[in-house]
Amino acid sequence: MTPTQAGPTSAATRTDAALAAALATVRANIATFGGGYPDDTTRHGVYPPRPATATLPEGANRGWTTSFWPGMLWLAWELTGDDAFRLAATSHVASFAERVDQQIDLDTHDLGFLYTLGCVAPWRLVADERARSAALGAADHLMTRFLEPAGIVQAWGGLDDPGQRGRTIIDSLMNMPLLYWASEQTGDERYAAAARRHAAQLRDHIIRPDGTTFHTFWWDPATGAPLHGSTQQGYTDDSCWARGQAWGIYGFALNYRYARDESFLDAARVCADYFLAHLPTDGVAYWDLDFTDGDDQPRDSSAAAIAVCGLTELAGWLPDGPLRDHYRSHAETILTSLATGYSTATHPESNALLLHGVYDWPGAVGVDEGTLWGDYFYLEALARAVLPERTLYW
Ligand code: GLY
């Protein structure tokens, strides 16, 4: 991929137009979604309500993606100062507090995604005490998933589930900021120590020698020995799932932000270098990095949006110079490509912000659709571009 040659004015104009379109969609979705939660992905470009389960009604706060909606609302408030966004965002705190208080669907490492955006953001932005308390409750619950002697946070399933015990996944790096935040808030070092050990285990085992990553990796829960990698949402166990690689860029860079361990920044660079070297011409990754120009496979715009945020975070920790410029320039190129070729700015029939994401190709779920997290990270990427000094929620 060649970084864009467009001048700063044209890039800024394109970003402004993309941002205006995205904010208009978020505003319209306040009424569309009401007090409930949309599903993980669109269907034919439109988000249906989150389906009911045997115990929870339609639109309930369950699953791993609900916080991306209030996350978008908080970003929209920061970007506009319009209280309609702040009021809508604040209204979700009660649901996240109830979810952790009543232990609804908490058997997951995704508590970091959920409570960083659902509750740490309102604590950081408007000092919402109920949100702080709920986020600390979620951090405590996440700590119950930290397995000794392996030193990892189990990703999925109950802790007594033999099919999941000892397994973690690269996405989990994004859930560690909740633990660093809990240490900052409480003065209890245990949360941050667990996060550092978990990130170090992934640095040592989930990254392969060639700079690709496994989606998931297993440890022996009894001895703590590292066992083997496998995939869940990638093409094969040996391929490089694009979103996983993007989680690696952003997740390791965020772990560096808090732990200040240089090896985490190096790990983010390893993930970034492979990701950037395996992009198609327009800079928006195919859903698995084994595919490239000419392959009859869908893109994953969400991987691209996450990578933009990760590259920007990574660049921010590097000294002034060509390397920092290299990552920044690629982030700008990918963001411009998303805004001009993948956003819904010219697709008013969709209520997503980005088209052409992939949730789970092997499972045939959400293929070539909008995704809640892709929309969130696209808006975060735009916010990073226009408000570089803003407080990060992670
Ligand atoms: N964290 C789940 C996914 O990226 O699909």
Side-chain angles (χ1 to χ4, degrees):
M1 181 182 54
T2 309
T4 183
Q5 298 302 308
T9 309
S10 58
T13 304
R14 282 196 297 268
T15 305
D16 286 351
L19 190 52
L23 289 169
T25 301
V26 175
R27 189 184 294 280
N29 282 346
I30 295 174
T32 307
F33 298 161
Y37 295 92
D39 206 353
D40 302 318
T41 71
T42 59
R43 212 151 302 142
H44 306 300
V46 176
Y47 286 107
R50 192 156 291 245
T53 66
T55 51
L56 293 169
E58 182 178 271
N61 190 347
R62 63 170 184 82
W64 73 280
T65 62
T66 50
S67 62
F68 293 112
W69 171 229
M72 282 186 256
L73 291 167
W74 286 116
L75 288 170
W77 178 57
E78 285 200 85
L79 285 158
T80 62
D82 184 336
D83 269 346
F85 292 119
R86 181 181 59 78
L87 291 170
T90 304
S91 73
H92 289 279
V93 170
S95 172
F96 283 88
E98 182 191 19
R99 181 165 171 177
V100 73
D101 288 349
Q102 300 192 7
Q103 311 259 312
I104 300 167
D105 194 17
L106 299 187
D107 279 347
T108 170
H109 69 134
D110 290 319
L111 292 167
F113 282 116
L114 290 165
Y115 283 84
T116 301
L117 299 181
C119 291
V120 175
W123 166 248
R124 291 198 198 276
L125 294 174
V126 296
D128 186 318
E129 286 286 352
R130 190 172 183 199
R132 176 180 180 275
S133 166
L136 287 174
D140 282 335
H141 199 86
L142 189 55
M143 285 294 283
T144 68
R145 303 181 68 78
F146 185 72
L147 303 185
E148 293 284 12
I152 56 126
V153 173
Q154 182 176 317
W156 294 320
L159 295 174
D160 55 357
D161 179 346
Q164 295 296 343
R165 191 157 172 82
R167 185 186 201 187
T168 200
I169 69 175
I170 192 159
D171 326 24
S172 63
L173 291 164
M174 296 294 297
N175 294 318
M176 297 302 109
L178 180 68
L179 298 181
Y180 294 113
W181 173 84
S183 276
E184 278 171 18
Q185 291 293 311
T186 61
D188 183 341
E189 178 54 24
R190 282 178 314 120
Y191 304 95
R196 285 195 300 271
R197 279 185 66 197
H198 177 85
Q201 286 287 56
L202 268 65
R203 174 200 63 204
D204 293 344
H205 299 291
I206 216 157
I207 303 179
R208 304 184 185 106
D210 64 356
T212 62
T213 51
F214 290 111
H215 179 190
T216 90
F217 200 92
W218 305 79
W219 277 260
D220 183 321
T223 67
L227 296 177
H228 63 91
S230 66
T231 200
Q232 185 75 19
Q233 285 155 256
Y235 188 55
T236 67
D237 285 341
D238 298 328
S239 72
C240 187
W241 180 48
R243 192 160 63 255
Q245 196 78 5
W247 291 136
I249 302 169
Y250 201 8
F252 280 119
L254 287 174
N255 276 275
Y256 174 77
R257 169 180 278 262
Y258 294 104
R260 297 301 164 100
D261 177 333
E262 292 290 332
S263 71
F264 295 160
L265 206 55
D266 292 344
R269 280 195 54 202
V270 167
C271 293
D273 291 346
Y274 189 90
F275 187 88
L276 293 175
H278 291 81
L279 294 181
T281 312
D282 75 356
V284 175
Y286 282 81
W287 70 275
D288 191 293
L289 297 180
D290 272 20
F291 302 117
T292 192
D293 285 320
D295 284 320
D296 185 21
Q297 292 283 336
R299 309 300 181 97
D300 180 9
S301 58
S302 76
I306 295 159
V308 172
C309 295
L311 292 166
T312 310
E313 179 71 17
L314 166 59
W317 293 109
L318 297 173
D320 269 342
L323 197 56
R324 169 186 267 207
D325 294 347
H326 164 78
Y327 292 122
R328 282 215 170 127
S329 156
H330 280 289
E332 283 167 18
T333 304
I334 298 170
L335 182 57
T336 301
S337 191
L338 286 174
T340 54
Y342 295 78
S343 82
T344 52
T346 54
H347 291 272
E349 70 281 7
S350 173
N351 63 358
L353 306 191
L354 277 186
L355 302 169
H356 308 308
V358 171
Y359 185 5
D360 181 354
W361 188 90
V365 180
V367 174
D368 199 21
E369 292 286 356
T371 69
L372 272 184
W373 60 92
D375 288 356
Y376 169 81
F377 285 103
Y378 173 60
L379 196 58
E380 185 186 308
L382 290 166
R384 279 175 169 275
V386 299
L387 297 176
E389 303 304 325
R390 55 175 283 278
T391 302
L392 206 62
Y393 306 158
W394 304 102

